[in-house]
């Protein structure tokens, strides 16, 4: 095969087709018509002397040859994207760039207010487009459609870059009139009623099952290891809502300490240390290798690290 005769667009088509495994969705991703995408697939089949995608009972599936090619093609395109990134310095004072950030409720309420203050000071025309975990996928981050994601992550694709923003510990909040505080301990914690709050990772969340400990998170997994459990009366994905519900109904909420900053001066709130050991949580910032060398992205990453340190 004469490599000089290969149309670079065909590698892009192949990359998207193997990810989407659907001609219509691949065309939508690239902003071209379905006939144009079908023609691209036809040319790929002729170039590779392989069907590339074949119809199965599960829909379109890549051939063995296509599967082997996929990581190589992805790496070539990522390397090319990085090499072609502009090298001009980022002019924060005059930039009108829009940064798209996926931030969990926890990250949005603790980190972003301070970040926005600094942006108004250093880059007054820059705009933040803040998205929730339900709005995006790992694929969106990998493609550089989202500048970065700030959240807690258990598993990440190896291609992503990441930086730890900070670590935090859990605390318990309740109303000062909640009788649970009089004999505070593990028994009292398990006997009181709780508000559960958490939302990590990507994708649309599903309803919670109080009996499915594996999906309830660290607090309930730790309690189960101790042979205990707690009474959860409300499930929510918003830390401020969780704290307000706990105060109004004299329930208990266990949350990361940094999320409580706006409530520390409320005379009706009591903060308690959990009566059992809980691991610290880690807030991470992740981004695509496509954006790693982008001057504006480097500037924002450094600013976020500075704000977090402060």
């Amino acid at each position: 095969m004469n490599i000089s005769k290969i149309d670079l667009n065909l590698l892009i088509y192949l990359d998207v087709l193997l990810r989407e495994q659907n001609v219509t969705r691949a065309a939508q991703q690239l902003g071209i018509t379905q006939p144009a995408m079908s023609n691209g697939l036809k040319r790929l089949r002729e170039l590779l002397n392989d069907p590339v995608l074949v119809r199965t009972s599960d829909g379109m599936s890549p051939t063995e040859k296509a599967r082997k090619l996929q990581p190589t093609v992805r790496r070539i395109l990522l390397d090319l994207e990085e090499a072609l990134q502009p090298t001009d310095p980022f002019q924060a004072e005059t930039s009108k760039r829009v940064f798209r950030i996926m931030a969990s409720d926890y990250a949005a309420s603790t980190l972003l207010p301070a970040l926005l203050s600094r942006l108004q000071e250093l880059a007054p025309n820059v705009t933040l487009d803040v998205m929730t975990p339900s709005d995006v996928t790992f694929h969106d981050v990998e493609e550089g459609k989202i500048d970065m994601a700030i959240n807690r992550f258990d598993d990440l694709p190896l291609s992503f870059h990441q930086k730890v923003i900070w670590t935090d510990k859990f605390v318990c909040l309740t109303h000062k009139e909640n009788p649970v505080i009089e004999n505070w301990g593990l028994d009292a914690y398990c006997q009181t009623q709780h508000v559960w709050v958490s939302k990590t990772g990507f994708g649309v969340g599903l309803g919670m099952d109080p009996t499915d400990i594996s999906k309830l998170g660290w607090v309930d997994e730790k309690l189960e290891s101790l042979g205990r459990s707690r009474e959860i009366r409300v499930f929510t994905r918003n830390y401020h809502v969780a704290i307000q519900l706990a105060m109004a109904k004299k329930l208990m909420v266990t949350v990361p300490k940094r999320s409580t900053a706006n409530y520390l001066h409320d005379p009706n709130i009591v903060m308690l240390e959990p009566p059992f050991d809980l691991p610290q949580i880690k807030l991470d910032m992740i981004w695509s290798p496509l954006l790693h060398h982008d001057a504006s992205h480097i500037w924002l990453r450094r600013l976020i690290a500075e704000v977090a340190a402060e």
Side-chain angles (χ1 to χ4, degrees), residues 12 15-16 19-20 29-30 74 77-78 81 85 137-147 159-160 287-291:
I12 298 172
D15 180 52
V16 176
R19 281 203 312 273
E20 298 296 334
Q29 281 283 330
L30 292 174
R74 181 97 282 260
L77 293 175
L78 287 175
E81 288 265 12
Q85 288 288 350
T137 65
F138 276 134
H139 175 60
D140 294 327
V141 179
E142 185 181 37
E143 287 288 288
K145 295 176 182 176
I146 307 299
D147 287 286
S159 62
F160 284 5
W287 62 94
S288 167
L290 296 179
L291 297 171

Side-chain angles (χ1 to χ4, degrees), residues 284-304:
D284 287 314
M285 173 170 63
I286 66 171
W287 62 94
S288 167
L290 296 179
L291 297 171
H292 187 60
H293 299 287
D294 180 84
S296 63
H297 205 269
I298 292 171
W299 179 86
L300 182 64
R301 295 197 308 263
R302 288 174 177 168
L303 182 64
I304 289 174

Side-chain angles (χ1 to χ4, degrees), residues 38-59:
S38 296
N39 183 59
L41 177 57
K42 178 183 176 183
R43 293 169 62 197
L44 280 167
R45 286 169 168 165
E46 293 171 353
L47 177 70
L48 300 174
N49 192 27
D50 184 83
V52 182
L53 291 174
V54 293
R55 192 169 301 281
T56 69
S57 58
D58 296 323

Side-chain angles (χ1 to χ4, degrees), residues 104-169:
S104 63
D105 173 65
Y106 168 62
S109 62
T110 55
L111 175 67
L112 293 193
L115 175 62
L116 183 58
S117 295
R118 290 295 296 278
L119 283 173
Q120 290 174 328
E121 185 184 318
L122 301 174
N125 297 314
V126 159
T127 300
L128 287 186
D129 182 4
V130 182
M131 302 179 179
T132 70
S134 298
D135 295 327
V136 302
T137 65
F138 276 134
H139 175 60
D140 294 327
V141 179
E142 185 181 37
E143 287 288 288
K145 295 176 182 176
I146 307 299
D147 287 286
M148 61 189 62
I150 304 175
N151 202 347
R152 294 182 286 150
F153 302 102
D154 294 326
D155 299 302
L156 289 172
L158 295 177
S159 62
F160 284 5
H161 294 278
Q162 68 181 104
K163 179 178 178 59
V164 177
I165 297 297
W166 63 47
T167 57
D168 200 356
K169 68 174 186 176

Side-chain angles (χ1 to χ4, degrees), residues 72-298:
T72 301
V73 170
R74 181 97 282 260
R75 187 172 64 252
I76 289 170
L77 293 175
L78 287 175
D79 288 345
L80 185 59
E81 288 265 12
E82 287 185 17
L84 296 177
Q85 288 288 350
T87 56
D88 295 336
F90 178 60
Q91 302 295 334
E93 302 85 357
T94 57
S95 174
K96 294 184 178 180
R97 193 187 190 299
V98 176
F99 288 104
R100 291 182 172 82
I101 299 176
M102 188 288 281
S104 63
D105 173 65
Y106 168 62
S109 62
T110 55
L111 175 67
L112 293 193
L115 175 62
L116 183 58
S117 295
R118 290 295 296 278
L119 283 173
Q120 290 174 328
E121 185 184 318
L122 301 174
N125 297 314
V126 159
T127 300
L128 287 186
D129 182 4
V130 182
M131 302 179 179
T132 70
S134 298
D135 295 327
V136 302
T137 65
F138 276 134
H139 175 60
D140 294 327
V141 179
E142 185 181 37
E143 287 288 288
K145 295 176 182 176
I146 307 299
D147 287 286
M148 61 189 62
I150 304 175
N151 202 347
R152 294 182 286 150
F153 302 102
D154 294 326
D155 299 302
L156 289 172
L158 295 177
S159 62
F160 284 5
H161 294 278
Q162 68 181 104
K163 179 178 178 59
V164 177
I165 297 297
W166 63 47
T167 57
D168 200 356
K169 68 174 186 176
F170 283 103
V171 294
C172 302
L173 295 187
T174 192
H175 194 280
K176 68 178 182 179
E177 294 179 3
N178 190 336
V180 73
I181 64 178
E182 297 175 6
N183 297 294
W184 182 239
L186 183 58
D187 287 341
Y189 182 91
C190 293
Q191 289 165 9
T192 197
Q193 296 184 335
H194 293 260
V195 178
W196 177 99
V197 56
S198 183
K199 184 68 176 78
T200 61
F202 290 87
V204 177
L206 300 176
M208 297 302 299
D209 179 356
T211 64
D212 190 349
I213 301 299
S214 65
K215 294 183 179 179
L216 292 181
W218 292 336
V219 173
D220 297 279
E221 288 176 358
K222 181 63 177 181
L223 285 172
E224 184 184 43
S225 73
L226 298 173
R228 308 297 294 270
S229 62
R230 59 176 175 165
E231 289 188 61
I232 300 173
R233 286 293 167 265
V234 181
F235 289 92
T236 180
R237 279 75 178 166
N238 186 291
Y239 285 88
H240 292 298
V241 169
I243 292 171
Q244 290 165 9
L245 288 173
M247 295 309 107
K249 299 300 181 182
K250 298 183 177 61
L251 304 178
M252 173 77 62
V253 64
T254 304
V255 292
K257 187 173 183 179
R258 288 179 187 266
S259 67
T260 69
N262 293 332
Y263 303 91
L264 296 180
H265 301 296
D266 187 328
N268 292 315
I269 289 179
V270 175
M271 180 185 294
L272 302 164
E273 292 290 329
F276 53 98
D277 292 332
L278 283 171
Q280 288 194 328
I281 67 169
K282 184 175 64 170
L283 185 66
D284 287 314
M285 173 170 63
I286 66 171
W287 62 94
S288 167
L290 296 179
L291 297 171
H292 187 60
H293 299 287
D294 180 84
S296 63
H297 205 269
I298 292 171

